[in-house]
Amino acid sequence: MDKAFGTAVMPTLSTKKASARVALINMNEPARNTLSECFRQFGIESVSVNGNAAERLKKEKFEACVIKLGPEAQVVMESARTSPSNSRIVLYAVGGSAQDAMSYSKYGINAIFHEPLERPAVLKLVRATQMLVVHEMRRYVRIPVITEISLVMADNRKLTATSIEVSSGGMSLRSAEDIVVGQSGEVSFALLTLPRIWVRCTMSWRNVNGKTFGIRFDNQDERRFRIKEWIDAYLEG
């Protein structure tokens, strides 16, 4: 494929770094304050979720959630684990013992905060598990970035597009070109400190107006790891 195709422009990045988010499900104010303070120390944003938490977890991406063991816990955990974006969410339970948690074993509870919630114990548990939460965030984080994208399709058509967001798994793009979902090709672009890179990809979605679409990087193409390394460096920078 023609690797000289396309000239990149300087990316424009959001000034606010993405952060992992934990949903605090129907927590009372003292518990919510303690949990929020401890998660914040590790750069994890807490979001209070009240009411129909199960429905929200179906539609909105979180990296972790904290829920009190009880009658509603099963419905919320089921919703999270069956959601396309939250199936690998880090689940924290509040209350009960390890034996109590076994009744929810099919949902894969990761850790338990014992009641009453005491700051030193909560902080210790968050410290021990925070890398799980950060890792989950980095699997899905999308960084706004504007750069010129070159696409060479399997039929040797050469297309140009402008990126909207980039993640370690793919990109969203804007173009007036004719894009066919399911078609494969190779994408080429540059990102600030990341020199021009080429990665095999597949057109994964296209919106109704036809001007924005998504590509998924080929999991078998090891060149995509350079993109993940760039994202990790951006998040830590």
Side-chain angles (χ1 to χ4, degrees):
M1 294 186 179
D2 185 357
K3 297 188 176 181
F5 180 65
T7 301
V9 298
M10 184 65 71
T12 300
L13 298 177
S14 168
T15 56
K16 181 180 179 181
K17 297 296 180 68
S19 62
R21 300 195 310 156
V22 55
L24 306 182
I25 309 294
N26 296 329
M27 292 288 144
N28 59 37
E29 186 174 357
R32 187 168 62 245
N33 291 343
T34 298
L35 290 164
S36 295
E37 179 187 349
C38 293
F39 278 112
R40 186 168 55 247
Q41 289 199 30
F42 296 94
I44 300 169
E45 177 187 357
S46 296
V47 179
S48 181
V49 176
N50 300 307
N52 195 348
E55 189 63 27
R56 188 165 175 183
L57 286 175
K58 284 182 181 178
K59 300 177 179 179
E60 187 174 348
K61 171 64 185 166
F62 294 94
E63 284 65 53
C65 76
V66 182
I67 184 167
K68 187 175 176 65
L69 294 180
E72 70 170 5
Q74 183 171 339
V75 174
V76 175
M77 291 179 185
E78 177 76 23
S79 177
R81 290 302 190 211
T82 56
S83 164
S85 58
N86 289 317
S87 60
R88 294 181 58 170
I89 197 169
V90 180
L91 283 176
Y92 294 93
V94 174
S97 63
Q99 188 62 37
D100 295 328
M102 287 303 294
S103 59
Y104 303 91
S105 59
K106 70 176 183 177
Y107 302 114
I109 293 174
N110 297 96
I112 299 175
F113 293 112
H114 296 293
E115 293 183 306
L117 294 180
E118 297 179 348
R119 187 179 178 283
V122 172
L123 197 61
K124 181 179 179 180
L125 184 57
V126 173
R127 180 183 293 111
T129 56
Q130 55 99 10
M131 287 309 299
L132 287 175
V133 180
V134 172
H135 174 74
E136 180 63 11
M137 184 269 290
R138 289 183 176 177
R139 292 181 65 247
Y140 286 92
V141 67
R142 296 172 175 85
I143 297 176
V145 55
I146 300 173
T147 190
E148 184 179 277
I149 303 297
S150 301
L151 286 163
V152 181
M153 311 310 295
D155 58 6
N156 289 322
R157 279 195 307 148
K158 297 178 181 179
L159 312 177
T160 58
T162 302
S163 63
I164 302 171
E165 294 178 326
V166 60
S167 73
S168 59
M171 305 179 81
S172 57
L173 307 170
R174 181 178 290 109
S175 176
E177 305 276 5
D178 185 26
I179 301 298
V180 178
V181 174
Q183 190 172 18
S184 61
E186 188 173 59
V187 62
S188 168
F189 57 92
L191 297 171
L192 287 177
T193 56
L194 178 67
R196 179 161 289 275
I197 185 173
W198 293 262
V199 183
R200 293 190 302 274
C201 64
T202 301
M203 309 303 113
S204 57
W205 60 267
R206 178 183 180 182
N207 74 357
V208 291
N209 67 24
K211 293 183 179 179
T212 58
F213 63 99
I215 61 172
R216 182 177 65 252
F217 301 138
D218 185 342
N219 284 336
Q220 302 303 312
D221 192 333
E222 294 187 355
R223 293 175 295 181
R224 67 187 177 87
F225 292 118
R226 290 175 59 197
I227 302 168
K228 181 181 183 302
E229 290 169 358
W230 181 86
I231 290 173
D232 288 345
Y234 170 74
L235 294 171
E236 293 169 357

